[in-house]
Amino acid sequence: CSSGVREVAVRTILIVDDEELFRRSLADGLEASDPHWTALTAEGAARAREILETTQVDLVVTANGHNRMIVGL
């Protein structure tokens, strides 16, 4: 029996930036805007790689030009 309610998967977003205030503000805003989004943060490419090795991430957001090592993840 179908209740007519569609289940929506939670999406994980990884925010990579060296500025903590920016990372936290963006993460908080994304999570507040949609209950189906979970935001993770990393201060650089090395930490981002660690997260990506253990966690399924749907989207990676980086600052343009600041995290050049993230290319290729």
Side-chain angles (χ1 to χ4, degrees):
C1 176
S2 175
S3 65
V5 176
R6 191 179 86 161
E7 205 171 298
V8 177
V10 173
R11 300 293 182 198
T12 302
I13 301 167
L14 175 59
I15 301 162
V16 185
D17 194 273
D18 59 347
E19 303 225 8
E20 183 178 1
L21 180 59
F22 175 77
R23 287 192 315 266
R24 194 70 255 149
S25 295
L26 184 55
D28 290 347
L30 288 169
E31 288 181 337
S33 70
D34 191 320
H36 299 104
W37 290 351
T38 298
L40 305 175
T41 64
E43 66 280 359
R47 179 66 184 127
R49 282 190 187 101
E50 291 173 4
I51 292 170
L52 290 168
E53 288 174 0
T54 60
T55 306
Q56 182 175 341
V57 172
D58 300 293
L59 176 66
V60 177
V61 177
T62 66
N64 189 16
H66 289 287
N67 292 299
R68 293 185 184 145
M69 292 180 63
I70 203 88
V71 174
L73 288 178

